[in-house]
Amino acid sequence: MSIIIRRATAQDALGIFTAHMRSIREVCSMDYTSLEITAWSGRNFRADFICQSIERDFLWVIESQGTIQGFGHFAVMSEFEGEVMGLYLTPDILGKGLGKKLFLEFLNVARKHHLKKISLHATKTAKSFYEALGFLQIASDTSIEMKGVPIPCFPMELELS
Ligand SMILES: CC(C)(COP(=O)(O)OP(=O)(O)OC[C@H]1O[C@@H](n2cnc3c(N)ncnc32)[C@H](O)[C@@H]1OP(=O)(O)O)[C@@H](O)C(=O)NCCC(=O)NCCS
């Protein structure tokens, strides 16, 4: 299976959305209730939102045989701080080091911008993955509301030296 990681373009919007929803439904579903998964993955496709992010922020896709199987979204929020806005892989490509490769792309951007820290809200599914990369939980467990349903998550940060 040939797999490439490349910067996202506007043509990737639907592929990114499809991989994102698959990752929630088929990977995060191991750690969340069906009510949570339905609310979280129930959004409509909005190409304009995704294209705005592609233009404004830093997005990469993981492509395998013409299909987008995952994406990473990193945003520079201030002179000091970057935020991981999304990192979602389909079950077809988990456990091959690709999540970490996308994270290293985020880290490159953070270093080029001389950022002091990277923050994110980790899912239950990804918390240990981020801990392995050096992130620490910095506040109490919280949640992000999707369609009126709170989706539990963990505020985390990585200090950059
Ligand atoms: C979290 C996620 C991106 C990890 O991607 P992945 O490609 O499977 O992870 P990798 O293969 O790059 O793993 C990198 C390292 O983290 C470890 N790791 C990966 N997932 C882990 C997990 N859930 N718990 C503990 N360790 C984990 C691996 O063992 C590996 O360790 P190593 O470097 O010592 O070999 C992927 O599981 C995913 O898409 N999850 C669902 C979506 C999600 O919750 N995204 C997070 C949004 S905040």
Side-chain angles (χ1 to χ4, degrees), residues 23 28 87-89 94-97 99-100 121 123 125-126 128-129:
S23 182
C28 298
L87 178 59
Y88 287 85
L89 276 54
L94 288 183
K96 296 179 189 299
K100 193 169 175 177
H121 282 87
T123 59
T125 315
S128 313
F129 165 80

Side-chain angles (χ1 to χ4, degrees), residues 1-8 11-23 26 60-71 88-94 96 98 102:
M1 180 160 65
S2 83
I3 293 179
I4 57 166
I5 292 181
R6 60 170 175 79
R7 282 295 291 272
Q11 285 72 39
D12 297 321
L14 182 59
I16 290 171
F17 175 79
T18 305
H20 190 181
M21 297 305 115
R22 270 196 75 197
S23 182
E26 298 176 39
W60 291 261
V61 292
I62 303 173
E63 189 179 59
S64 171
Q65 284 147 347
T67 301
I68 291 175
Q69 297 284 2
F71 74 98
Y88 287 85
L89 276 54
T90 71
D92 302 356
I93 55 156
L94 288 183
K96 296 179 189 299
L98 295 163
L102 284 179

